[in-house]
Amino acid sequence: MPELITLASSLDIGGVRIRNRVFLAPMSGITDEPFRRRAHAHGAGLVVSEMVASGELANGRAGCDLRIRHSGLPVHMVQLAGREAAHMAEGARIAAGEGADIIDINMGCPAKKVTGGYAGSALMRDLDHALSLIEAVVGAVSVPVTVKMRLGWDEDALNAPMLARRAEQAGVRMVTVHGRTRCQFYQGKADWRAIARVRQAVSIPVVANGDVGSPEEAATILEQSGADAVMIGRAHYGAPWAAGSVAAAAADTSTHSIPETPQALADYVVAHYEDMLSLYGVESGLRQARKHLGWYLDRHAARASAEQRKRILTSFEPTEVIRGLREALADPVMLTEMRSAA
C-alpha cells in the first residue's frame, strides 16, 4: 500500500505542525476531552473538539467552556458551528483566547437540529453567506482557520470545489470533505473519487473523510481522492485507537497502548468511564458515558447477556456499572474484534 506511507509524514496547517496525517473527526457528544486524550495517546495525528455552537459560546452558555477547554495536547483544535457572522467571530476569539491553535468551521453536519437553524451543511446552499462566516472568523483570529464540508447539499448541487476555492481565497488553510451530500446523511457509500474535484480546485491541504476505518480503506481513499490526509469518525465507536492504528500501519510501527488482554481492556474502559464522571460530574457523566459503554460492549462483549447490558447502561450507581463492565469484558473471545480494529 504505497499510498499509505504518506500518512506517516507530518503536515503543516498554517504554520502548525501536525505529527501525522490520520485525524480524529469532530463528533458531537463524542470527541470530548477524555476521548481526544485517548485518541491522541494512541497516535492520531490531530484530534478535534466536538462541535461548539458559536452563539451559545458567545453568550456564555454553561457547558461550552468544557468543549473548548485546552486539554494540554500539543495541538488544540476547536470546531465552531453557527450562522451569524458576529457569533462566529466572537466564538473564534473566545476559543483562541482559551488556547485553540486551529479553528475549524462546521459546514458539513447533516443533523436536522443543525441544518434547521441554517448552520452546518445548510450553509452549502448559500455560498455567499458561508463566505461571510469564513471571512468573519479569519478576520477575528490570528490562528489558522479550516473548514469541514460535504460534497454539497444534494446530488444537484455538488458545490464543494467552489466552496473550497472561495474558502482558500478568504484565507482558510485546510479543508476537509466528507464524501457524501447532506441529503445522504450516512447512507450508502461515501464517494471518495468525488473528493478529487476539491483537491484539484485548491492548493491548500485537503483531508478526505467518510467510511474510513482500516489501513486498506485509508490507502484507497488516498488513491481515489488525491487527498493529503484522512479523517476517521465513526470507526472510533468503542475503539478510540482507530486513527492511531491506521497511523501506525502507515509508519510500519506498533500501535500505541492498545489493551491486549481482557483485564487490560476492562481497566481501559473503566478508566474512560471514570474520566467522564470526573469531567462532567456523576449525574451528567453517567448519562453521557452510556453511549460509549454501549459501543464498547457492542464491539468487545457481544456475548454479554441482555440483563448485563441493561444493568450497565441504566444503573445510576458508578460502582455497579464498573462491576458490570468488568464482568462483561472478562470474556476473551471478543478481543479478536478489538485486534482486527487495530
Side-chain angles (χ1 to χ4, degrees), residues 143-231:
V143 300
V145 176
T146 63
V147 175
K148 189 172 190 293
M149 64 184 72
R150 289 199 163 214
L151 297 177
W153 178 260
D154 57 27
E155 291 295 328
D156 294 325
L158 301 177
N159 56 2
M162 184 180 298
L163 174 57
R165 187 183 304 113
R166 294 183 66 180
E168 179 181 21
Q169 293 169 351
V172 162
R173 310 304 291 269
M174 182 182 79
V175 295
T176 300
V177 185
H178 182 107
R180 288 183 175 87
T181 66
R182 183 272 173 182
C183 289
Q184 286 179 276
F185 285 85
Y186 294 98
Q187 298 175 349
K189 181 74 173 65
D191 187 350
W192 296 341
R193 295 187 187 280
I195 299 172
R197 294 193 287 271
V198 178
R199 172 64 285 170
Q200 294 159 7
V202 298
S203 60
I204 55 177
V206 172
V207 184
N209 174 227
D211 295 344
V212 178
S214 69
E216 293 76 17
E217 289 165 340
T220 302
I221 198 173
L222 283 179
E223 188 275 326
Q224 293 185 2
S225 69
D228 303 278
V230 299
M231 181 172 278

Side-chain angles (χ1 to χ4, degrees), residues 307-318:
E307 181 57 34
Q308 280 181 301
R309 288 183 62 92
K310 180 179 179 181
R311 187 167 66 250
I312 292 168
L313 299 178
T314 63
S315 175
F316 289 94
E317 292 295 334

